[in-house]
Amino acid sequence: MPVEPFTITFMKFKIFTFLFLLAQFSFAQTPDCIPGWGFARTVKVFNPGQEVLTDFQVAFELDTRVLVDSGKLRTDGADLRITDENCQALFFYGEKFDVDSANQIWVKLPSIMANDSVTLYVYYGNDTAQSAINGDSTFIFFDDFGTETVAEVDSNKWEAIGEFSAFKISNGRLEYASTGSSQGSRFKFARSKATFSEQVIFDFNAQISNSNGFGFSSTDSTLDRIIFRQSGFGFDTMNQVAFNDDTVTNGISISQEYPFIRFVRNAPTNATMTAGIQGDTLTITDFRNLDEDSFAADTFQLTRSPMSSFHFILSTFSGFNIFLDYLRVRKPAAVAPTSTVGAEEAFMIPSSILPTARWELKLYPNPTSETVSLEGLPTGTYDLILMDHLGRKLWTDALHVTIGTTQMLELPLLPTGTYHLWMTNGQESMAHSLMIQQK
């Protein structure tokens, strides 16, 4: 019994030209862990050290600005997704997607063995996706203070010790200032509610002057704390550790030589410190100004104030404000892992970048096994591409069509399954699912 032809209105895509896109992207060899996304990349993470890393934060660089400009990635990065080799979603964090050509994307890896590597899959290209960016789940502690002009501080993350004249979110930064005169004002400070004991890395951006600073306070004695500040060798040099242990004195300098790095006064500065408790001693092993590559790699230990754990703090004189743009706390490694980003691969071209074709086509039989008839294409020359569900190109053909004629397509022998047949004349394109069913 003959199979009657039936009319199919193909799914319509807004494309510039499929031929152009084929020239730009390789077809995906990455598994389609999250169907509906347009593009994927692999990221190979290698752990060269001799320790197993668990729940570890690792970064890779991605040129998100060019992806946003080309319409492949949302301006806010809401369609970014990252999975492991088993297609399990991973926590990640990134920002400034539309302005950063070397954007750092942080991922939390459940585990990576010593002297071994893991492969991550990075997906993007979905206009309707909801954001999965999650700094709180990616880092040990995280706050970027949002984007609000004025907002309240998250009381689950921060608290003020003593009185203050400013303790708020201002233009997406934490702003803090104490009250009172200079004398005795330093016993007032803001601190993270989170506490730390094992060695961790503090990444942050702070704006300070020579009248304020950041540092750590003891969990055992609230007033025992140290503040890193500018003094002695010029206002743009950070070289003083001020120790405070009461409500009266203004701080006792216990070092005029640490960290001895550049830290420009009244300028937002990206910095990082590695700190933890060794025995009962607060120990800092690395201190860096990331903007100027000025660093101190020698070790500082606060021997005069034993403690079991500590807070991150901000402290100021009266009338002077300190600003913190973000704070991220993550795990260190004796030897840091490396990451290598693979080339972009295309699954399906996102609907946001394709023109609509309005062809009424007949495709029969569907399902089929080896041949399919195609009617309804306007006069012209067409390229056909058959892809599997992973976006891999399996077969191509070229057609010279006169309107009103039927095209008989001889397909390769393929396993039973769902495939995608693309047709383009260089200006418009269509695609449709094609069922292949072998007897």
Side-chain angles (χ1 to χ4, degrees):
M1 179 177 178
V3 178
E4 293 296 323
F6 58 95
T7 300
I8 301 174
T9 301
F10 281 78
M11 187 183 303
K12 298 173 182 177
F13 295 88
K14 299 178 181 178
I15 346 186
F16 293 125
T17 163
F18 190 57
L19 288 176
F20 170 78
L21 292 167
L22 285 177
Q24 299 299 311
F25 315 123
S26 60
F27 283 89
Q29 302 301 310
T30 301
D32 195 2
C33 290
I34 47 174
W37 264 248
F39 304 95
R41 293 173 187 260
T42 58
V43 176
K44 185 78 70 175
V45 180
F46 175 63
N47 174 16
Q50 299 304 307
E51 57 182 328
V52 178
L53 304 177
T54 58
D55 292 331
F56 191 83
Q57 298 81 19
V58 64
F60 63 89
E61 283 193 355
L62 191 63
D63 189 344
T64 56
R65 182 172 63 184
V66 73
L67 297 181
V68 170
D69 289 347
S70 61
K72 301 175 191 175
L73 177 68
R74 296 261 298 275
T75 303
D76 57 0
D79 53 334
L80 193 67
R81 297 291 188 274
I82 302 175
T83 74
D84 65 11
E85 293 165 302
N86 298 315
C87 290
Q88 295 298 308
L90 300 177
F91 291 117
F92 69 93
Y93 175 78
E95 60 181 9
K96 299 178 180 177
F97 294 93
D98 58 341
V99 299
D100 205 335
S101 60
N103 202 350
Q104 274 201 328
I105 309 298
W106 287 95
V107 187
K108 185 177 181 180
L109 297 181
S111 177
I112 178 169
M113 302 300 291
N115 196 33
D116 199 2
S117 62
V118 297
T119 300
L120 310 181
Y121 302 133
V122 181
Y123 299 89
Y124 49 92
N126 187 318
D127 292 340
T128 62
Q130 299 296 312
S131 178
I133 299 168
N134 192 329
D136 289 317
S137 296
T138 302
F139 298 99
I140 298 170
F141 177 87
F142 169 85
D143 205 340
D144 66 354
F145 308 108
T147 58
E148 293 85 354
T149 302
V150 178
E152 293 185 359
V153 177
D154 188 342
S155 60
N156 293 315
K157 294 183 177 181
W158 300 93
E159 62 183 342
I161 305 300
E163 298 176 349
F164 54 84
S165 60
F167 185 47
K168 61 183 179 180
I169 307 301
S170 177
N171 295 317
R173 298 192 297 174
L174 174 60
E175 179 181 359
Y176 174 79
S178 62
T179 61
S181 62
S182 297
Q183 186 67 22
S185 67
R186 283 287 184 92
F187 81 90
K188 304 165 187 177
F189 55 96
R191 71 182 185 185
S192 66
K193 281 196 170 179
T195 61
F196 313 95
S197 56
E198 294 183 357
Q199 188 182 61
V200 291
I201 298 173
F202 295 85
D203 297 326
F204 59 98
N205 178 293
Q207 178 178 324
I208 68 171
S209 70
N210 56 306
S211 297
N212 50 43
F214 48 79
F216 303 111
S217 68
S218 171
T219 57
D220 305 298
S221 176
T222 301
L223 296 182
D224 283 4
R225 61 218 182 275
I226 58 171
I227 303 160
F228 300 99
R229 57 185 296 244
Q230 298 153 323
S231 180
F233 292 89
F235 291 145
D236 288 343
T237 301
M238 178 173 286
N239 65 293
Q240 185 181 37
V241 184
F243 177 79
N244 305 89
D245 63 357
D246 56 45
T247 63
V248 178
T249 60
N250 218 9
I252 303 167
S253 175
I254 57 175
S255 173
Q256 288 285 350
E257 299 179 354
Y258 190 86
F260 217 119
I261 63 173
R262 284 273 297 170
F263 215 97
V264 178
R265 182 173 49 160
N266 292 323
T269 301
N270 293 293
T272 185
M273 289 189 291
T274 302
I277 301 296
Q278 294 184 4
D280 60 359
T281 303
L282 176 63
T283 304
I284 295 125
T285 56
D286 191 87
F287 200 139
R288 295 174 184 262
N289 177 340
L290 298 176
D291 295 333
E292 300 195 23
D293 197 28
S294 177
F295 65 93
D298 51 326
T299 298
F300 173 84
Q301 290 190 304
L302 182 64
T303 55
R304 63 179 293 161
S305 180
M307 61 183 72
S308 60
S309 58
F310 58 95
H311 306 260
F312 183 91
I313 71 169
L314 305 172
S315 182
T316 74
F317 284 113
S318 176
F320 295 91
N321 293 32
I322 188 171
F323 298 91
L324 187 67
D325 187 59
Y326 66 84
L327 176 63
R328 303 192 294 256
V329 183
R330 55 189 173 92
K331 288 188 173 183
V335 184
T338 61
S339 57
T340 305
V341 180
E344 181 177 85
E345 303 175 10
F347 286 102
M348 301 289 284
I349 306 305
S351 60
S352 62
I353 62 173
L354 299 180
T356 301
R358 301 184 180 277
W359 308 323
E360 293 291 334
L361 303 179
K362 296 178 182 178
L363 182 71
Y364 60 92
N366 189 6
T368 186
S369 58
E370 296 181 25
T371 63
V372 64
S373 294
L374 179 62
E375 296 179 5
L377 285 174
T379 299
T381 301
Y382 295 83
D383 280 275
L384 307 183
I385 303 97
L386 187 67
M387 296 184 294
D388 67 10
H389 72 287
L390 296 180
R392 292 176 294 198
K393 183 169 60 173
L394 304 176
W395 170 86
T396 62
D397 198 2
L399 294 179
H400 301 285
V401 177
T402 300
I403 191 167
T405 61
T406 299
Q407 309 299 317
M408 180 68 73
L409 308 179
E410 296 286 344
L411 302 175
L413 184 63
L414 295 169
T416 297
T418 301
Y419 298 83
H420 304 286
L421 180 64
W422 287 80
M423 292 151 283
T424 178
N425 61 9
Q427 297 178 345
E428 295 180 291
S429 297
M430 277 190 174
H432 192 267
S433 294
L434 177 63
M435 297 293 298
I436 292 181
Q437 193 170 63
Q438 302 296 346
K439 296 177 182 180

